[in-house]
Amino acid sequence: TIFIQERDYLTFLSFSLSTSKCSRRGVLVFLMMLGILCLLYFVSPPHWGTEFHQTYEDAGPYYVAYPQNYRFILDHPQKCKQHNPLLVVIVPVAPQHTEARHAIRKTWGNDSLVQHGTVVVLFLLGLPSGNNSKTLQLRIHQENLQHQDLLQIDFIDSYRNLTIKTMVMLEWLKERCPQTLFAAKVDDDILLNIRGLMMMLLSPSVPLSNYITGLVWYGNVVIRDPSNKFYIPHNVYPNSVYPPYPLGMCYIMSMDLPEKILQVSKEIKPIFIEDAYIGLCLERLNIAPTNPPNLDQFVVNPPRVYNRCYYAKRIAVMTNSPNQLISYWTDIHQPGPAC
Ligand SMILES: *[C@@H]1O[C@H](CO)[C@@H](O)[C@H](O)[C@H]1NC(C)=O
Ligand SMILES: *[C@@H]1O[C@H](CO)[C@@H](O)[C@H](O)[C@H]1NC(C)=O
Ligand SMILES: *[C@@H]1O[C@H](CO)[C@@H](O)[C@H](O)[C@H]1NC(C)=O
Protein backbone atom coordinates (compact mmCIF):
# COMPACT_ATOMS: atom_id res chain seq x y z
CA THR A 1 0.00 0.00 0.00
CA ILE A 2 2.80 2.43 0.76
CA PHE A 3 3.79 2.28 -2.88
CA ILE A 4 0.32 3.32 -4.06
CA GLN A 5 0.15 6.09 -1.47
CA GLU A 6 3.45 7.49 -2.66
CA ARG A 7 2.36 7.40 -6.27
CA ASP A 8 -0.91 9.18 -5.49
CA TYR A 9 1.01 11.80 -3.65
CA LEU A 10 3.40 12.32 -6.57
CA THR A 11 0.50 12.58 -9.02
CA PHE A 12 -1.10 15.12 -6.77
CA LEU A 13 2.15 17.04 -6.52
CA SER A 14 2.73 17.22 -10.26
CA PHE A 15 -0.94 18.12 -10.76
CA SER A 16 -0.69 21.00 -8.27
CA LEU A 17 2.53 22.23 -9.79
CA SER A 18 1.23 22.16 -13.34
CA THR A 19 -2.06 23.89 -12.51
CA SER A 20 -0.51 26.52 -10.26
CA LYS A 21 1.70 27.86 -13.06
CA CYS A 22 3.53 29.91 -10.46
CA SER A 23 0.51 32.08 -9.76
CA ARG A 24 0.51 33.23 -6.14
CA ARG A 25 -2.93 31.75 -5.55
CA GLY A 26 -1.74 28.46 -6.88
CA VAL A 27 1.25 28.43 -4.58
CA LEU A 28 -1.00 29.28 -1.66
CA VAL A 29 -3.42 26.46 -2.50
CA PHE A 30 -0.51 24.10 -2.90
CA LEU A 31 0.93 25.04 0.48
CA MET A 32 -2.48 24.72 2.11
CA MET A 33 -3.01 21.29 0.64
CA LEU A 34 0.47 20.31 1.77
CA GLY A 35 -0.34 21.58 5.25
CA ILE A 36 -3.56 19.58 5.33
CA LEU A 37 -1.67 16.49 4.22
CA CYS A 38 0.93 17.00 6.95
CA LEU A 39 -1.82 17.50 9.50
CA LEU A 40 -3.57 14.30 8.40
CA TYR A 41 -0.24 12.52 8.59
CA PHE A 42 0.21 13.44 12.26
CA VAL A 43 -3.41 13.18 13.39
CA SER A 44 -3.81 9.71 11.97
CA PRO A 45 -0.35 8.14 11.85
CA PRO A 46 0.21 6.05 8.75
CA HIS A 47 -0.46 2.36 9.21
CA TRP A 48 0.65 1.48 5.78
CA GLY A 49 3.69 -0.67 5.81
CA THR A 50 4.68 -0.21 9.42
CA GLU A 51 1.74 -2.09 10.87
CA PHE A 52 2.82 -5.54 9.74
CA HIS A 53 6.41 -4.72 10.51
CA GLN A 54 5.55 -3.83 14.10
CA THR A 55 3.44 -6.93 14.81
CA TYR A 56 6.17 -9.04 13.34
CA GLU A 57 8.79 -7.40 15.52
CA ASP A 58 6.71 -7.71 18.69
CA ALA A 59 6.06 -11.39 18.13
CA GLY A 60 9.39 -11.91 16.44
CA PRO A 61 10.69 -15.24 15.34
CA TYR A 62 10.18 -16.27 18.97
CA TYR A 63 6.43 -16.30 18.76
CA VAL A 64 4.93 -19.72 19.48
CA ALA A 65 1.49 -20.19 17.94
CA TYR A 66 -0.14 -21.78 20.96
CA PRO A 67 -2.96 -22.02 21.98
CA GLN A 68 -4.79 -22.57 18.73
CA ASN A 69 -7.31 -25.09 17.53
CA TYR A 70 -5.01 -27.69 16.11
CA ARG A 71 -6.68 -30.72 14.59
CA PHE A 72 -5.60 -34.34 14.60
CA ILE A 73 -5.20 -35.72 11.08
CA LEU A 74 -4.32 -39.16 12.44
CA ASP A 75 -5.73 -40.17 15.79
CA HIS A 76 -6.36 -43.23 17.92
CA PRO A 77 -8.98 -41.92 20.30
CA GLN A 78 -9.79 -45.35 21.76
CA LYS A 79 -6.24 -46.53 22.37
CA CYS A 80 -6.23 -45.92 26.13
CA LYS A 81 -9.84 -47.06 26.58
CA GLN A 82 -9.11 -50.30 24.71
CA HIS A 83 -5.93 -51.22 26.56
CA ASN A 84 -6.41 -49.49 29.88
CA PRO A 85 -2.63 -49.08 30.27
CA LEU A 86 -0.80 -48.00 33.43
CA LEU A 87 1.60 -45.92 31.36
CA VAL A 88 1.28 -44.22 28.01
CA VAL A 89 4.53 -43.28 26.27
CA ILE A 90 4.38 -40.53 23.66
CA VAL A 91 7.33 -40.18 21.32
CA PRO A 92 7.40 -36.80 19.56
CA VAL A 93 9.13 -37.46 16.26
CA ALA A 94 9.81 -35.55 13.05
CA PRO A 95 7.70 -36.84 10.12
CA GLN A 96 10.81 -37.84 8.16
CA HIS A 97 12.31 -39.88 11.05
CA THR A 98 10.79 -43.10 9.74
CA GLU A 99 13.86 -45.10 10.77
CA ALA A 100 13.70 -43.90 14.35
CA ARG A 101 10.07 -45.08 14.57
CA HIS A 102 10.98 -48.46 13.08
CA ALA A 103 13.86 -48.84 15.52
CA ILE A 104 11.57 -48.19 18.49
CA ARG A 105 8.87 -50.56 17.18
CA LYS A 106 11.47 -53.29 16.78
CA THR A 107 12.98 -52.76 20.24
CA TRP A 108 11.52 -51.23 23.41
CA GLY A 109 8.24 -50.37 21.67
CA ASN A 110 7.66 -54.12 21.29
CA ASP A 111 8.26 -55.12 24.91
CA SER A 112 5.81 -57.72 26.20
CA LEU A 113 4.40 -55.06 28.56
CA VAL A 114 3.54 -53.15 25.39
CA GLN A 115 2.17 -56.23 23.66
CA HIS A 116 -0.13 -56.94 26.60
CA GLY A 117 -1.35 -53.38 26.82
CA THR A 118 0.09 -52.41 30.19
CA VAL A 119 2.06 -49.77 28.33
CA VAL A 120 0.87 -47.96 25.21
CA VAL A 121 3.45 -46.40 22.89
CA LEU A 122 2.40 -43.78 20.35
CA PHE A 123 4.32 -41.47 18.02
CA LEU A 124 3.38 -37.82 17.72
CA LEU A 125 4.16 -35.83 14.59
CA GLY A 126 3.22 -32.65 12.81
CA LEU A 127 2.98 -32.04 9.06
CA PRO A 128 5.97 -32.65 6.81
CA SER A 129 7.28 -29.62 4.93
CA GLY A 130 9.64 -29.19 2.00
CA ASN A 131 9.92 -30.76 -1.42
CA ASN A 132 8.86 -34.33 -0.68
CA SER A 133 6.13 -33.53 1.78
CA LYS A 134 3.30 -35.04 -0.36
CA THR A 135 5.06 -38.35 -0.82
CA LEU A 136 6.09 -38.41 2.81
CA GLN A 137 2.53 -37.73 3.95
CA LEU A 138 1.29 -40.69 1.86
CA ARG A 139 3.92 -42.91 3.44
CA ILE A 140 2.92 -41.71 6.89
CA HIS A 141 -0.68 -42.73 6.20
CA GLN A 142 0.48 -46.18 5.10
CA GLU A 143 2.77 -46.52 8.11
CA ASN A 144 -0.15 -45.69 10.37
CA LEU A 145 -2.44 -48.20 8.61
CA GLN A 146 0.14 -50.88 9.24
CA HIS A 147 1.10 -50.08 12.83
CA GLN A 148 -1.84 -48.06 14.19
CA ASP A 149 0.43 -45.95 16.33
CA LEU A 150 0.72 -42.48 14.79
CA LEU A 151 -0.85 -39.30 16.08
CA GLN A 152 -0.52 -36.44 13.62
CA ILE A 153 -1.43 -32.79 14.17
CA ASP A 154 -2.03 -30.14 11.50
CA PHE A 155 0.88 -27.78 12.09
CA ILE A 156 4.26 -27.70 10.35
CA ASP A 157 6.62 -29.95 12.25
CA SER A 158 9.79 -28.05 13.10
CA TYR A 159 12.21 -27.53 15.94
CA ARG A 160 10.67 -24.15 16.67
CA ASN A 161 7.25 -25.77 16.97
CA LEU A 162 8.18 -28.37 19.58
CA THR A 163 6.37 -26.56 22.37
CA ILE A 164 3.16 -26.70 20.34
CA LYS A 165 3.70 -30.44 20.02
CA THR A 166 4.15 -30.87 23.76
CA MET A 167 1.07 -28.82 24.57
CA VAL A 168 -1.08 -30.69 22.05
CA MET A 169 0.29 -33.93 23.52
CA LEU A 170 -0.98 -32.80 26.93
CA GLU A 171 -4.38 -31.99 25.41
CA TRP A 172 -4.52 -35.45 23.90
CA LEU A 173 -3.54 -37.17 27.16
CA LYS A 174 -6.09 -35.21 29.14
CA GLU A 175 -8.87 -36.09 26.66
CA ARG A 176 -7.97 -39.66 25.80
CA CYS A 177 -6.31 -41.27 28.81
CA PRO A 178 -7.99 -40.04 31.98
CA GLN A 179 -7.81 -43.53 33.55
CA THR A 180 -4.11 -44.03 32.95
CA LEU A 181 -1.73 -43.51 35.91
CA PHE A 182 1.32 -42.06 34.15
CA ALA A 183 2.36 -40.46 30.89
CA ALA A 184 5.92 -40.33 29.60
CA LYS A 185 7.33 -38.09 26.89
CA VAL A 186 10.34 -39.81 25.34
CA ASP A 187 12.51 -38.52 22.49
CA ASP A 188 12.99 -40.71 19.44
CA ASP A 189 16.71 -41.28 20.09
CA ILE A 190 16.23 -42.73 23.56
CA LEU A 191 16.94 -46.32 24.49
CA LEU A 192 14.16 -46.93 26.99
CA ASN A 193 13.92 -49.75 29.47
CA ILE A 194 10.15 -50.16 29.77
CA ARG A 195 10.38 -52.74 32.55
CA GLY A 196 12.80 -50.68 34.58
CA LEU A 197 10.58 -47.65 34.16
CA MET A 198 7.44 -49.53 35.25
CA MET A 199 9.26 -50.89 38.30
CA MET A 200 10.34 -47.40 39.23
CA LEU A 201 6.85 -45.95 38.80
CA LEU A 202 5.08 -48.68 40.74
CA SER A 203 7.30 -48.35 43.79
CA PRO A 204 5.26 -47.02 46.73
CA SER A 205 7.49 -43.96 47.06
CA VAL A 206 6.20 -42.57 43.78
CA PRO A 207 3.11 -40.36 44.25
CA LEU A 208 0.16 -40.64 41.89
CA SER A 209 -0.47 -36.92 41.68
CA ASN A 210 1.50 -33.68 41.27
CA TYR A 211 4.42 -35.81 40.22
CA ILE A 212 6.84 -35.23 37.39
CA THR A 213 10.26 -36.80 37.10
CA GLY A 214 13.22 -37.03 34.75
CA LEU A 215 16.69 -35.54 34.79
CA VAL A 216 15.90 -32.28 36.53
CA TRP A 217 17.90 -29.19 35.54
CA TYR A 218 18.30 -26.58 38.24
CA GLY A 219 19.22 -22.94 37.65
CA ASN A 220 19.61 -23.28 33.90
CA VAL A 221 20.73 -19.87 32.64
CA VAL A 222 18.64 -18.17 29.95
CA ILE A 223 20.78 -17.70 26.82
CA ARG A 224 20.99 -14.07 25.65
CA ASP A 225 23.45 -14.59 22.81
CA PRO A 226 21.44 -14.18 19.59
CA SER A 227 23.67 -16.58 17.69
CA ASN A 228 22.92 -19.41 20.12
CA LYS A 229 20.31 -22.03 19.18
CA PHE A 230 18.61 -21.52 22.56
CA TYR A 231 18.57 -17.71 22.44
CA ILE A 232 15.53 -16.19 24.13
CA PRO A 233 15.14 -12.39 24.05
CA HIS A 234 14.30 -10.42 27.21
CA ASN A 235 10.83 -9.47 26.03
CA VAL A 236 9.93 -13.14 25.59
CA TYR A 237 11.25 -14.28 28.98
CA PRO A 238 12.72 -11.67 31.36
CA ASN A 239 14.26 -13.75 34.18
CA SER A 240 17.90 -14.75 34.01
CA VAL A 241 17.42 -18.41 34.97
CA TYR A 242 14.71 -20.96 34.24
CA PRO A 243 12.89 -22.64 37.10
CA PRO A 244 13.79 -26.35 37.54
CA TYR A 245 12.51 -28.61 34.77
CA PRO A 246 13.05 -32.22 33.69
CA LEU A 247 15.13 -32.55 30.52
CA GLY A 248 13.06 -33.11 27.41
CA MET A 249 14.75 -36.39 26.49
CA CYS A 250 12.50 -38.30 28.87
CA TYR A 251 10.08 -37.11 31.50
CA ILE A 252 7.22 -38.87 33.20
CA MET A 253 4.22 -37.31 34.92
CA SER A 254 1.20 -38.40 36.91
CA MET A 255 -1.99 -38.12 34.86
CA ASP A 256 -3.44 -35.21 36.82
CA LEU A 257 -0.72 -32.93 35.45
CA PRO A 258 -1.69 -32.56 31.78
CA GLU A 259 -4.86 -30.72 32.71
CA LYS A 260 -3.17 -28.61 35.40
CA ILE A 261 -0.31 -27.60 33.11
CA LEU A 262 -2.73 -26.71 30.30
CA GLN A 263 -4.75 -24.61 32.70
CA VAL A 264 -1.85 -22.43 33.90
CA SER A 265 -0.27 -22.28 30.44
CA LYS A 266 -3.04 -19.85 29.49
CA GLU A 267 -1.28 -17.24 31.62
CA ILE A 268 2.28 -18.01 30.52
CA LYS A 269 3.75 -16.85 27.23
CA PRO A 270 5.05 -19.93 25.41
CA ILE A 271 8.75 -20.20 24.57
CA PHE A 272 10.00 -22.66 21.95
CA ILE A 273 12.20 -24.56 24.44
CA GLU A 274 9.52 -27.09 25.31
CA ASP A 275 10.99 -28.57 28.48
CA ALA A 276 11.85 -25.15 29.93
CA TYR A 277 8.28 -24.10 29.18
CA ILE A 278 6.99 -27.06 31.19
CA GLY A 279 9.25 -25.72 33.96
CA LEU A 280 7.57 -22.30 33.78
CA CYS A 281 4.15 -23.94 34.10
CA LEU A 282 5.28 -26.13 37.01
CA GLU A 283 6.64 -23.08 38.82
CA ARG A 284 3.26 -21.37 38.50
CA LEU A 285 1.59 -24.54 39.80
CA ASN A 286 4.01 -24.69 42.73
CA ILE A 287 4.95 -28.21 41.74
CA ALA A 288 8.63 -29.11 42.00
CA PRO A 289 9.89 -31.71 39.52
CA THR A 290 11.53 -34.64 41.30
CA ASN A 291 14.69 -36.47 40.30
CA PRO A 292 14.15 -40.20 39.77
CA PRO A 293 14.91 -42.41 42.80
CA ASN A 294 18.05 -43.58 41.06
CA LEU A 295 19.51 -40.58 39.25
CA ASP A 296 22.10 -42.46 37.22
CA GLN A 297 19.40 -44.47 35.44
CA PHE A 298 18.76 -41.46 33.16
CA VAL A 299 21.73 -40.69 30.97
CA VAL A 300 22.45 -37.94 28.45
CA ASN A 301 26.13 -38.68 27.87
CA PRO A 302 26.74 -42.42 28.16
CA PRO A 303 30.31 -43.81 28.30
CA ARG A 304 31.92 -43.84 24.87
CA VAL A 305 32.50 -47.56 24.91
CA TYR A 306 29.44 -49.81 25.02
CA ASN A 307 29.13 -52.00 28.10
CA ARG A 308 26.28 -54.45 28.43
CA CYS A 309 26.25 -54.45 32.20
CA TYR A 310 26.08 -50.64 32.29
CA TYR A 311 23.19 -50.43 29.84
CA ALA A 312 21.18 -53.21 31.43
CA LYS A 313 20.82 -51.09 34.59
CA ARG A 314 19.63 -47.87 32.93
CA ILE A 315 16.11 -46.64 32.23
CA ALA A 316 16.67 -43.96 29.58
CA VAL A 317 19.87 -43.45 27.63
CA MET A 318 20.44 -41.19 24.67
CA THR A 319 21.75 -42.87 21.50
CA ASN A 320 23.45 -41.59 18.34
CA SER A 321 21.38 -43.30 15.70
CA PRO A 322 18.50 -45.74 15.17
CA ASN A 323 21.08 -48.42 14.33
CA GLN A 324 22.90 -47.91 17.60
CA LEU A 325 19.59 -48.10 19.46
CA ILE A 326 18.77 -51.42 17.79
CA SER A 327 22.22 -52.94 18.30
CA TYR A 328 22.44 -51.96 21.99
CA TRP A 329 18.90 -53.16 22.71
CA THR A 330 19.52 -56.45 20.89
CA ASP A 331 22.68 -57.05 22.87
CA ILE A 332 21.09 -56.22 26.23
CA HIS A 333 18.36 -58.75 25.47
CA GLN A 334 20.69 -61.61 24.58
CA PRO A 335 20.19 -64.57 26.89
CA GLY A 336 22.58 -64.84 29.80
CA PRO A 337 23.43 -62.56 32.70
CA ALA A 338 24.15 -58.96 31.74
CA CYS A 339 26.85 -58.46 34.35
C1 LIG B 1 7.39 -57.96 18.29
O1 LIG B 1 7.73 -59.16 18.96
C2 LIG B 1 7.04 -60.30 18.51
C3 LIG B 1 7.48 -61.49 19.34
O2 LIG B 1 7.52 -61.20 20.68
C4 LIG B 1 7.33 -60.55 17.05
O3 LIG B 1 6.56 -61.64 16.57
C5 LIG B 1 7.00 -59.29 16.23
O4 LIG B 1 7.40 -59.48 14.90
C6 LIG B 1 7.72 -58.10 16.82
N1 LIG B 1 7.32 -56.89 16.12
C7 LIG B 1 8.19 -56.05 15.53
C8 LIG B 1 7.63 -54.84 14.87
O5 LIG B 1 9.37 -56.26 15.54
C1 LIG C 1 13.65 -28.18 -3.31
O1 LIG C 1 13.61 -28.12 -4.72
C2 LIG C 1 14.21 -26.97 -5.25
C3 LIG C 1 13.98 -26.95 -6.76
O2 LIG C 1 13.86 -28.23 -7.29
C4 LIG C 1 15.70 -26.96 -4.89
O3 LIG C 1 16.33 -25.81 -5.38
C5 LIG C 1 15.85 -27.00 -3.38
O4 LIG C 1 17.22 -27.10 -3.00
C6 LIG C 1 15.08 -28.17 -2.79
N1 LIG C 1 15.09 -28.05 -1.35
C7 LIG C 1 15.42 -29.06 -0.57
C8 LIG C 1 15.37 -28.81 0.90
O5 LIG C 1 15.73 -30.16 -0.99
C1 LIG D 1 4.72 -23.77 13.15
O1 LIG D 1 3.45 -24.16 12.75
C2 LIG D 1 2.67 -23.12 12.22
C3 LIG D 1 1.29 -23.68 11.95
O2 LIG D 1 1.33 -24.68 10.99
C4 LIG D 1 3.33 -22.60 10.97
O3 LIG D 1 2.58 -21.52 10.45
C5 LIG D 1 4.71 -22.12 11.29
O4 LIG D 1 5.37 -21.76 10.12
C6 LIG D 1 5.49 -23.22 11.98
N1 LIG D 1 6.73 -22.65 12.44
C7 LIG D 1 7.88 -23.09 12.00
C8 LIG D 1 9.08 -22.41 12.58
O5 LIG D 1 7.97 -23.99 11.18
Side-chain angles (χ1 to χ4, degrees):
T1 44
I2 192 160
F3 180 61
I4 293 166
Q5 293 274 358
E6 263 168 14
R7 268 218 339 217
D8 288 349
Y9 179 70
L10 284 177
T11 318
F12 164 76
L13 206 69
S14 55
F15 174 76
S16 316
L17 283 175
S18 62
T19 49
S20 67
K21 293 253 192 271
C22 286
S23 75
R24 275 165 90 189
R25 223 175 109 212
V27 171
L28 215 72
V29 168
F30 172 64
L31 286 179
M32 258 172 64
M33 296 292 264
L34 201 68
I36 290 168
L37 261 183
C38 287
L39 208 75
L40 277 174
Y41 187 94
F42 285 110
V43 168
S44 139
H47 303 285
W48 2 292
T50 50
E51 191 180 49
F52 174 73
H53 188 65
Q54 257 169 15
T55 2
Y56 178 76
E57 261 192 355
D58 286 344
Y62 302 94
Y63 173 67
V64 176
Y66 185 85
Q68 240 172 58
N69 279 327
Y70 296 108
R71 240 172 15 92
F72 278 89
I73 296 165
L74 301 176
D75 197 359
H76 297 280
Q78 302 301 324
K79 206 72 168 187
C80 281
K81 287 192 191 85
Q82 276 163 8
H83 297 281
N84 204 13
L86 294 176
L87 168 70
V88 47
V89 178
I90 307 277
V91 183
V93 57
Q96 67 275 19
H97 284 188
T98 318
E99 293 217 9
R101 294 191 289 273
H102 283 322
I104 291 174
R105 287 191 192 104
K106 265 193 188 166
T107 58
W108 57 263
N110 196 25
D111 192 282
S112 66
L113 289 174
V114 177
Q115 286 169 16
H116 295 122
T118 308
V119 178
V120 157
V121 177
L122 291 166
F123 297 96
L124 179 61
L125 39 154
L127 295 174
S129 56
N131 287 346
N132 297 322
S133 58
K134 281 214 171 110
T135 322
L136 185 53
Q137 185 58 25
L138 276 176
R139 291 221 191 98
I140 287 168
H141 270 275
Q142 287 160 355
E143 189 182 326
N144 182 56
L145 276 181
Q146 190 182 349
H147 299 284
Q148 297 292 318
D149 61 0
L150 300 186
L151 304 174
Q152 190 181 32
I153 327 158
D154 66 343
F155 63 82
I156 308 280
D157 200 305
S158 70
Y159 181 72
R160 281 299 174 94
N161 271 345
L162 279 186
T163 297
I164 303 180
K165 223 180 200 180
T166 297
M167 300 312 283
V168 177
M169 168 187 86
L170 296 177
E171 290 177 3
W172 191 89
L173 289 167
K174 174 195 151 207
E175 281 307 309
R176 306 298 194 201
C177 305
Q179 307 298 324
T180 307
L181 291 185
F182 297 101
K185 179 253 176 189
V186 178
D187 281 346
D188 67 354
D189 55 356
I190 297 298
L191 178 56
L192 188 71
N193 174 351
I194 293 248
R195 284 159 184 280
L197 179 57
M198 282 309 292
M199 263 174 31
M200 180 191 108
L201 291 174
L202 294 178
S203 97
S205 65
V206 168
L208 296 179
S209 68
N210 292 342
Y211 180 71
I212 180 163
T213 191
L215 268 186
V216 182
W217 270 32
Y218 296 93
N220 195 17
V221 173
V222 180
I223 307 288
R224 301 298 188 194
D225 168 10
S227 65
N228 191 294
K229 182 185 177 191
F230 297 108
Y231 169 65
I232 293 286
H234 262 280
N235 65 339
V236 175
Y237 183 67
N239 297 2
S240 59
V241 291
Y242 294 111
Y245 62 87
L247 269 192
M249 65 174 251
C250 173
Y251 53 77
I252 305 109
M253 63 179 81
S254 53
M255 204 47 103
D256 57 323
L257 283 194
E259 181 167 12
K260 289 176 181 170
I261 293 173
L262 287 167
Q263 193 60 35
V264 290
S265 76
K266 290 174 190 161
E267 301 157 18
I268 303 170
K269 195 176 196 173
I271 56 174
F272 70 86
I273 308 173
E274 65 90 21
D275 44 8
Y277 186 60
I278 293 290
L280 303 187
C281 295
L282 293 173
E283 181 187 45
R284 183 69 62 96
L285 285 167
N286 255 322
I287 294 172
T290 325
N291 268 315
N294 192 348
L295 192 56
D296 62 11
Q297 286 185 313
F298 289 67
V299 185
V300 186
N301 288 310
R304 269 192 330 119
V305 179
Y306 172 80
N307 172 326
R308 186 175 181 205
C309 181
Y310 175 87
Y311 272 84
K313 290 176 181 163
R314 312 298 130 179
I315 287 180
V317 188
M318 209 175 267
T319 63
N320 288 334
S321 66
N323 281 340
Q324 190 181 66
L325 197 158
I326 294 172
S327 79
Y328 288 5
W329 187 90
T330 309
D331 188 66
I332 296 164
H333 289 80
Q334 298 287 353
C339 296

